[in-house]
């Protein structure tokens, strides 16, 4: 099957397979605060990623490009929405345009629509430094995402079977491109050791890409004769992956993604340590079903509701929200205890009154 056809198949299957809704974020509860001492007008949603400050902690995660006209239209619409809300946007894997220059326009449309926006390029860990540079130049990217998708490749009939040397290749890219590199999972989560390894080679941020949302094992299984159904439930749920990253003993920036759909998912992700929260499948579904107008409305509401939640917990800033006390229960609690991650750190902390923005 051609790469271009596969891109469109992914979109179709992502829409029909749907989201798992088992991110573990339901195990996280904010401790209610009756005296929050905040007002909605004091809330700032500004956040930082590397050296960059952005006005929204929500971003559009990598999805598409490389599948001709149809993927170009999706990228155009997503770019228009990103511009409207000052949101960062990542494009889908640019390998198809590196292999076939005809596909470049399906990515460059994003920069055309949003000349001043923060745009993230995307490639897999098989990429060379040369390819990474070309991908960055293609869209004048501000950062580059490298995706890790072992389970997706193994489930894909025509997928990669050899993953040796990925860390070394990523290190060469980090050293060679002179831009911040983000390493992301695609819905199977990351563990502490992986985060530590990535931090040690100079990766700026990890996007934990946890289990619980779009499920690429299921999507690829749809394209197989004999299904590898044992991969359908494989992965570290988003809440546990965020705790793994935060407790990795590094100061690497943390990005949450994997099954994020609501303002409460976003707020809980930030409280678990994320600076940024990525949404892919949910935005795609709204765009396809309700058009750009529907997507605008949803994005507006997500931002407004996040400000309401921050007011309720007494968090004026994103860094306040990262210190909001919360209780962890259920499977996520079990995971953390088994992994020797202190669960009390989350419920004994508090937002310092002196903090302001
Ligand atoms: C993706 N995702 C993805 N990720 C990546 O790094 N490169 C890519 O090319 C793609 N392509 C892609 C296509 C489609 C149709 C979807 C829905 C997703 C993965 C995406 O960025 C994200 O990591 C996962 O989808 C999990 O997040 P959600 O969808 O649960 O919010």
């Amino acid at each position: 099957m051609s790469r271009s056809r596969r891109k469109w198949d992914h979109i179709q299957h992502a829409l029909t397979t749907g989201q798992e809704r088992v991110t573990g974020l339901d195990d996280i509860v904010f401790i209610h605060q009756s005296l929050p001492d905040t007002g909605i007008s004091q809330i700032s949603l500004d956040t930082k990623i590397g050296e960059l400050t952005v006005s929204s902690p929500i971003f559009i995660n990598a999805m598409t490009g490389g599948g001709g006209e149809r993927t170009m239209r999706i990228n155009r619409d997503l770019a228009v929405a990103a511009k409207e809300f000052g949101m960062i946007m990542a494009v889908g894997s640019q390998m198809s345009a590196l292999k076939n220059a005809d596909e470049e326009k399906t990515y460059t449309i994003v920069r055309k629509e949003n000349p001043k926006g923060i745009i993230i390029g995307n490639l897999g860990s098989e990429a060379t430094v040369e390819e990474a540079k070309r991908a960055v130049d293609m869209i004048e990217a501000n950062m580059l995402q490298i995706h890790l998708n072992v389970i997706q490749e193994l489930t894909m009939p025509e997928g990669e079977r050899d993953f040796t040397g990925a860390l070394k290749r990523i290190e060469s890219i980090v050293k060679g491109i002179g831009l911040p590199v983000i390493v992301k999972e695609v819905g199977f989560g990351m563990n502490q050791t992986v985060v530590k390894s990535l931090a040690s080679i100079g990766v700026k941020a990890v996007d934990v890409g946890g289990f619980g949302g779009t499920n690429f094992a299921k999507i690829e299984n749809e394209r197989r004769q004999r299904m590898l159904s044992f991969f359908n439930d494989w992965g570290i749920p988003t809440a546990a992956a965020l705790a793994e990253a935060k407790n990795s003993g590094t100061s690497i920036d943390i990005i949450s993604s994997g099954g994020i759909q609501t303002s409460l998912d976003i707020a809980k992700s930030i409280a678990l340590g994320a600076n940024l929260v990525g949404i892919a499948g949910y935005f795609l579904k709204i765009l396809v079903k309700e058009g750009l107008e529907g997507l605008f409305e949803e994005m507006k509401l997500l931002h407004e509701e996040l400000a309401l939640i921050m007011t309720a917990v007494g968090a004026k800033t994103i860094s306040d929200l990262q210190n909001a006390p919360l209780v962890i229960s259920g499977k996520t609690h079990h995971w953390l205890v088994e992994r020797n991650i202190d669960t009390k750190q989350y419920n004994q902390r508090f937002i310092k009154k002196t903090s302001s923005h």
Side-chain angles (χ1 to χ4, degrees), residues 7-15 19-20 23 60-65 90-94 107 122-123 145-149 152 184-188 207 209-210 212-216 219 257-261 278-284:
K7 300 285 167 183
W8 187 247
D9 264 19
H10 278 163
I11 291 174
Q12 292 302 315
H13 288 308
L15 291 170
Q19 297 247 315
E20 298 283 337
T23 57
I60 303 171
N61 218 345
M63 276 185 279
T64 202
V91 298
S93 175
Q94 292 168 265
Y107 299 92
N122 187 292
L123 283 175
Q145 283 178 334
I146 302 289
H147 63 256
L148 303 177
N149 65 340
Q152 180 185 7
K184 73 183 286 273
E185 251 291 350
V186 299
F188 302 95
D207 177 340
T214 303
N215 184 335
F216 269 97
I219 291 173
S257 76
I260 306 299
Q261 296 196 19
I279 300 181
Y282 182 61
F283 280 159
L284 178 68

Side-chain angles (χ1 to χ4, degrees), residues 10-53:
H10 278 163
I11 291 174
Q12 292 302 315
H13 288 308
L15 291 170
T16 50
T17 311
Q19 297 247 315
E20 298 283 337
R21 295 302 290 156
V22 286
T23 57
L25 291 168
D26 287 347
D27 292 335
I28 313 298
V29 177
F30 284 112
I31 299 177
H32 172 60
Q33 170 58 275
S34 304
L35 289 169
D37 202 26
T38 39
I40 191 102
S41 64
Q42 300 168 26
I43 305 297
S44 163
L45 297 183
D46 287 0
T47 191
K48 281 194 92 169
I49 181 78
E51 311 303 315
L52 292 169
T53 299

Side-chain angles (χ1 to χ4, degrees), residues 124-126 146-167 169-170 183-190 194 209 216-217 220 224 228 230-231 234:
S125 62
E126 74 283 4
I146 302 289
H147 63 256
L148 303 177
N149 65 340
V150 171
I151 300 298
Q152 180 185 7
E153 292 288 344
L154 290 175
T155 315
M156 216 188 286
E158 70 276 34
E160 186 59 71
R161 295 291 180 266
D162 180 0
F163 304 97
T164 49
L167 192 65
R169 285 191 297 279
I170 297 171
V183 176
K184 73 183 286 273
E185 251 291 350
V186 299
F188 302 95
M190 269 185 209
V194 168
F216 269 97
E220 298 299 350
R224 287 185 75 92
L228 307 181
F230 46 85
F231 280 144
W234 192 286

Side-chain angles (χ1 to χ4, degrees), residues 57 65 75 139 246:
N75 268 344
I139 55 169
K246 184 180 161 66

Side-chain angles (χ1 to χ4, degrees), residues 54-56 58 81-88:
V54 269
S55 58
S56 170
I58 309 168
K83 184 178 175 196
E84 175 72 15
F85 291 90
M87 290 163 69
I88 295 176

